[in-house]
Amino acid sequence: MKKYKYYPTLFIITISIFLANTFFANAKESKVLSAKNSVLTIEEKQNISIFENVKDSVVFISIHQQVIDNWRMSTFDIPKGAGSGFIWDKDGHIVTNYHVIMNANKAVVTLKNGKRYQASLVGTSPSYDIAVLKIRPVKHLLKPIDLGTSRDLKVGQTVYAVGNPFGLDWTMTKGIISALERSMYATNGVPIKHMIQTDASINPGNSGGPLLNSRAKVIGVNNMILSPSGANAGIGFSIPIDTVKRVVNSIIKKGIYVRPAIGISVDNRINELYKQFSGKNGVVVVDVVPNTSAAKNKLRSTIVDPRGSMTFGDVIISVDAKKIETLEDLYSILDEHKDGDTVTLEVLRENKRKKIDIELQ
């Protein structure tokens, strides 16, 4: 019996060593699996980087409307809606859609850090569905968003939409550019041209937020969707940033966006009469405004004699070799320029083509 008295102790030691080895082996395997699970793909790292770069530049905009309480002879504010926007510069300018703040009495801007500021209205352009607000926080709290360009976009490239859909703040979705050069109508019925179509999810509340490229630069302002239900159906539209730049800079400087002009008056009804008469498209010069580039270059106006007989004036058929068939075509091309630029008009005058250089003003 004596030679067996240490066996129980040896057995316990053996079991302890086995259990310890098993524990450390499992711990090691768990650590390896955890490390594997924590490794992000290149695509995921890019997505995260883009969101981290822009989250502090995107804002939540809540809209309030003033209601009159006739019983108490007082007024109070009620929430009317919400949307998105982004910080344009260190001066506190915020860019959003016009339809987000339309008919609002008060707009409150919330930054990513939770701080809320009442915004004042700088100006709007209903024809482009763009509005500019301004807040007055400490400047170091403002992180202006990086602006890209929309002139070299390609169908198929990756895009990201950041905003506050359905009030769910700071949401990012991803997709591609589905199409370019779309035309959609603004709230005042004027067509917005050159719009970007994307399948990145855009829902109510995303309006006014940025559409970003893979370098986290803004290429458009999210604007609207096509959907019978009012929710995303894979067809969203953004206003190209090159258009936004022109409009916003003008609003900040002048309080309003004014399209560069030739110095003529036009009327779609006259254009339709011309088309019926000649079978051709173009923009008819109805009248020439005195002391303008059009007057200096002697463009011809439409004349109606006392008997009601009409003689059409010059008919603009191209600008800088780009065909003009409708008034919208003319406005779209002029919007690509600024005051002081010179464009070449091609007009039909007595059925003869004539080129005229005009300085925009």
Side-chain angles (χ1 to χ4, degrees):
M1 295 294 292
K2 187 178 181 179
K3 64 178 179 181
Y4 298 114
K5 65 178 180 180
Y6 298 109
Y7 279 20
T9 304
L10 183 60
F11 175 76
I12 292 172
I13 293 172
T14 304
I15 292 298
S16 298
I17 293 172
F18 173 77
L19 291 174
N21 288 337
T22 302
F23 171 80
F24 287 119
N26 289 339
K28 185 177 181 181
E29 183 179 359
S30 176
K31 188 175 181 180
V32 170
L33 288 174
S34 177
K36 287 182 178 179
N37 290 333
S38 67
V39 173
L40 299 172
T41 66
I42 294 175
E43 181 181 0
E44 289 170 332
K45 288 179 180 178
Q46 183 181 37
N47 295 341
I48 294 168
S49 174
I50 288 171
F51 182 73
E52 291 297 323
N53 280 335
V54 303
K55 66 180 182 181
D56 293 330
S57 303
V58 178
V59 302
F60 181 90
I61 301 174
S62 54
I63 304 304
H64 302 262
Q65 193 169 40
Q66 198 171 69
V67 175
I68 300 175
D69 187 337
N70 291 319
W71 180 257
R72 298 181 180 179
M73 299 297 292
S74 62
T75 61
F76 59 94
D77 292 329
I78 62 170
K80 183 177 180 290
S84 305
F86 55 89
I87 299 169
W88 186 262
D89 56 28
K90 283 282 189 180
D91 292 327
H93 291 108
I94 306 293
V95 173
T96 186
N97 285 151
Y98 169 69
H99 76 259
V100 169
I101 56 92
M102 184 174 58
N103 301 324
N105 296 108
K106 184 172 78 172
V108 176
V109 171
T110 304
L111 303 183
K112 186 66 175 71
N113 60 12
K115 293 186 179 296
R116 293 160 55 89
Y117 300 91
Q118 186 164 332
S120 59
L121 180 63
V122 178
T124 66
S125 175
S127 296
Y128 285 96
D129 201 10
I130 293 172
V132 179
L133 307 175
K134 190 172 184 179
I135 58 176
R136 296 182 178 276
V138 180
K139 285 193 175 184
H140 76 265
L141 295 176
L142 296 176
K143 182 185 177 184
I145 205 161
D146 289 333
L147 303 179
T149 180
S150 51
R151 65 175 176 268
D152 55 358
L153 299 178
K154 302 294 182 184
V155 173
Q157 74 179 78
T158 302
V159 290
Y160 303 80
V162 180
N164 308 287
F166 303 113
L168 300 173
D169 51 3
W170 286 273
T171 298
M172 184 173 79
T173 58
K174 180 180 178 180
I176 62 169
I177 293 177
S178 306
L180 296 167
E181 298 298 324
R182 296 301 197 202
S183 293
M184 301 298 292
Y185 288 91
T187 53
N188 63 356
V190 174
I192 306 175
K193 292 205 167 188
H194 311 303
M195 291 192 76
I196 304 163
Q197 181 183 325
T198 177
D199 68 348
S201 293
I202 297 174
N203 285 296
N206 272 117
S207 294
L211 187 71
L212 309 159
N213 62 17
S214 55
R215 297 185 300 280
K217 294 184 180 293
V218 182
I219 58 169
V221 176
N222 297 323
N223 181 248
M224 65 180 72
I225 58 174
L226 281 183
S227 171
S229 66
N232 180 267
I235 303 177
F237 298 93
S238 297
I239 307 166
I241 193 62
D242 290 348
T243 299
V244 175
K245 288 176 185 176
R246 289 195 303 272
V247 175
V248 168
N249 288 331
S250 177
I251 290 175
I252 291 173
K253 184 178 179 181
K254 306 174 184 177
I256 192 172
Y257 174 69
V258 180
R259 177 182 287 114
I262 296 170
I264 60 174
S265 61
V266 292
D267 191 320
N268 261 331
R269 294 170 296 182
I270 303 299
N271 297 339
E272 286 299 320
L273 285 174
Y274 173 75
K275 185 175 181 179
Q276 292 173 18
F277 175 79
S278 67
K280 299 175 182 178
N281 290 309
V283 173
V284 180
V285 176
V286 176
D287 198 10
V288 176
V289 180
N291 301 316
T292 64
S293 296
K296 292 175 185 177
N297 285 277
K298 299 181 179 180
L299 263 66
R300 294 187 181 180
S301 303
T302 298
I303 300 173
V304 180
D305 65 26
R307 295 172 297 175
S309 179
M310 180 181 293
T311 301
F312 293 108
D314 289 337
V315 181
I316 301 172
I317 58 174
S318 77
V319 177
D320 289 341
K322 297 176 181 177
K323 185 182 292 187
I324 301 296
E325 294 188 342
T326 65
L327 191 54
E328 287 72 25
D329 292 338
L330 177 62
Y331 286 159
S332 177
I333 292 175
L334 293 181
D335 275 334
E336 297 173 1
H337 295 274
K338 62 181 183 298
D339 297 349
D341 286 353
T342 298
V343 298
T344 301
L345 304 184
E346 186 176 14
V347 302
L348 278 178
R349 179 181 294 175
E350 298 175 350
N351 290 322
K352 295 181 180 179
R353 293 173 180 256
K354 181 179 179 65
K355 291 186 177 181
I356 303 171
D357 291 334
I358 294 281
E359 182 179 337
L360 301 180
Q361 54 189 143

